[in-house]
Amino acid sequence: MVGQVAATAMDIFESFCRTCGNECLDPINIFDDVKNKSAACQNGKVSIIEMLETCTPNSVPKLNKDDDYPKQVCRLCLKKLEMVYEFQTNWLNAHSEFNVALKFEQRRKRCHKEAQAKSEEQAQEDKLPELEFDAIVVDIKSDNASNEPLPKPLLSPFLFHP
């Protein structure tokens, strides 16, 4: 008798879509692994179950083949599911790629700042210190006791000027 009650409950939902609740003319079994590969998503590599579990919130109980809920979806809901799954997959992939690009850009900027700071440090270190000269005053008359004229320099600073 218990087996009959379960069979009757499942028979009630036999032609209804699990996602929209409407009656299906051409239902697609969500648990039939051979037939339910979605052609629109990932070249037919993703099952309806995988798409449903990916796209439904965590608060929704996991799909169970032995529960009393409908085991099929209508073609319209399947198309919607494929679109949502594709959107979510594209979103996550793009987000992941943007994260990688942003981390790369942040690392590049940080390295650029470090290199710039290092080159400024190096420039400060390489800067020649200003030399201070003490003035030396020579009294020529006292050094030249003979009062002879000083010898002419070999090269005159005016030699190259007219």
Side-chain angles (χ1 to χ4, degrees), residues 56-62:
T56 54
N58 291 336
S59 60
V60 174
K62 293 284 184 191

Side-chain angles (χ1 to χ4, degrees), residues 3-156:
Q4 277 184 326
V5 173
T8 308
M10 289 187 352
D11 288 342
I12 294 172
F13 299 130
E14 188 174 318
S15 61
F16 288 93
C17 176
R18 175 109 179 212
T19 58
C20 71
N22 293 325
E23 195 166 357
C24 303
L25 296 176
D26 188 17
I28 301 163
N29 188 318
I30 60 177
F31 295 103
D32 188 359
D33 287 335
V34 176
K35 296 178 183 175
N36 75 359
K37 296 293 184 184
S38 170
C41 286
Q42 307 292 322
N43 297 324
K45 294 179 183 176
V46 180
S47 69
I48 295 172
I49 296 169
E50 289 175 82
M51 288 189 289
L52 283 168
E53 289 179 346
T54 300
C55 296
T56 54
N58 291 336
S59 60
V60 174
K62 293 284 184 191
L63 295 169
N64 184 348
K65 194 173 188 172
D66 297 327
D67 65 18
D68 290 332
Y69 294 98
K71 310 289 187 247
Q72 60 277 336
V73 294
C74 66
R75 296 207 180 271
L76 181 60
C77 286
L78 179 59
K79 283 293 178 198
K80 291 177 183 178
L81 177 62
E82 290 170 343
M83 289 173 60
V84 169
Y85 181 82
E86 186 177 354
F87 174 84
Q88 184 174 4
T89 303
N90 288 343
W91 173 274
L92 293 173
N93 289 340
H95 185 74
S96 177
E97 289 178 21
F98 288 138
N99 276 340
V100 169
L102 287 171
K103 286 179 183 177
F104 177 78
E105 182 64 16
Q106 289 168 348
R107 187 177 303 130
R108 188 190 67 78
K109 284 182 179 179
R110 188 172 51 249
C111 289
H112 179 71
K113 284 181 183 178
E114 288 172 1
Q116 189 176 14
K118 191 173 182 180
S119 72
E120 287 174 5
E121 254 181 50
Q122 189 65 38
Q124 288 294 334
E125 289 176 6
D126 291 347
K127 187 177 177 182
L128 293 175
E130 291 186 22
L131 299 176
E132 294 182 19
F133 294 99
D134 292 330
I136 301 174
V137 178
V138 178
D139 185 4
I140 297 175
K141 289 185 179 180
S142 64
D143 285 343
N144 191 355
S146 65
N147 287 332
E148 293 179 16
L150 292 174
K152 291 185 180 180
L154 296 176
L155 295 176
S156 169

